[in-house]
Every structure is written in structure tokens, then in C-alpha cells.
Amino acid sequence: MNDNVLEIQGLSKDYGDFILDKVSFSLPRGVIMGLIGENGAGKSTTINCILNETQKTGGKILIFGKDHILDEIEIKDKLGVVFDENHFPDIFTAEEIGKFMSGI
């Protein structure tokens, strides 16, 4: 049995003016990891590819030993993610967002 909760193998993303080039690492169960680097190093791109919020150009991503795209719903049922920004359109008021979120 594999004890890695996350495996990244040769992850690439090509934006044209920026390329995340063949990133590989694994995260063993029970370990806390942070991505540290200067602005533009690819930290957010890596996380967004892991979450399938951004489509990768190449490589393989396994979460809990499962393909992050083929098993996306099953995987995301087990994940908790907190973004540093909200993704609501600016046209909504806080009250409107509250009404929307109350139904979830």
C-alpha cells in the first residue's frame, strides 16, 4: 500500500510566457507541507493544477492514490480547501452572498 496522500510526477503547465516545468514530489500521509518561493515561481499554478482548477499541460497527479481528474468528485469529497481570495463576482453584496451560501 502506498502511504503518499499526494504524488506529483512531471507536472507541467505552459502559459506561453511562463512554464511550470516537470515538477515532481510526493507528500506522505501525516506530513504537513508548504510551498515556499518568490512571486511567479509556480506555487499557485501547482495548487490549482492539483485541484483541477487549472488544466495541466503534462504530468500525473495522484491524490489518495487516485487520478485527480478521473476520480475528482470522490477526491474532493475528502478535501477541505480555503482560498486566500473569494471568487464571487463584485456585483454581489455581502447580504446576497450570505443568502446564496445559506442554501449550501
Side-chain angles (χ1 to χ4, degrees):
M1 183 171 95
N2 190 336
D3 284 332
N4 292 326
V5 292
L6 176 63
E7 292 184 55
I8 309 289
Q9 301 168 358
L11 176 61
S12 298
K13 175 62 181 173
D14 187 344
Y15 287 108
D17 59 340
F18 170 80
I19 298 174
L20 184 69
D21 194 20
K22 299 176 186 162
V23 172
S24 296
F25 63 88
S26 60
L27 180 64
R29 184 174 307 280
V31 172
I32 297 172
M33 181 184 84
L35 297 177
I36 300 171
E38 59 187 57
N39 291 345
K43 302 176 300 292
S44 295
T45 296
T46 299
I47 292 170
N48 286 326
C49 286
I50 291 168
L51 296 173
N52 200 28
E53 298 294 317
T54 299
Q55 206 170 33
K56 63 184 171 33
T57 305
K60 185 175 182 180
I61 299 173
L62 299 175
I63 304 172
F64 308 122
K66 299 177 185 270
D67 183 275
H68 82 296
I69 295 174
L70 296 176
D71 300 302
E72 182 173 10
I73 293 172
E74 181 183 349
I75 289 168
K76 286 187 175 178
D77 279 346
K78 297 177 183 178
L79 291 180
V81 177
V82 178
F83 293 99
D84 63 345
E85 299 175 355
N86 73 55
H87 297 280
F88 294 107
D90 291 337
I91 60 170
F92 292 122
T93 65
E95 183 178 350
E96 291 168 327
I97 293 170
K99 285 180 185 176
F100 171 77
M101 295 301 289
S102 69
I104 295 178

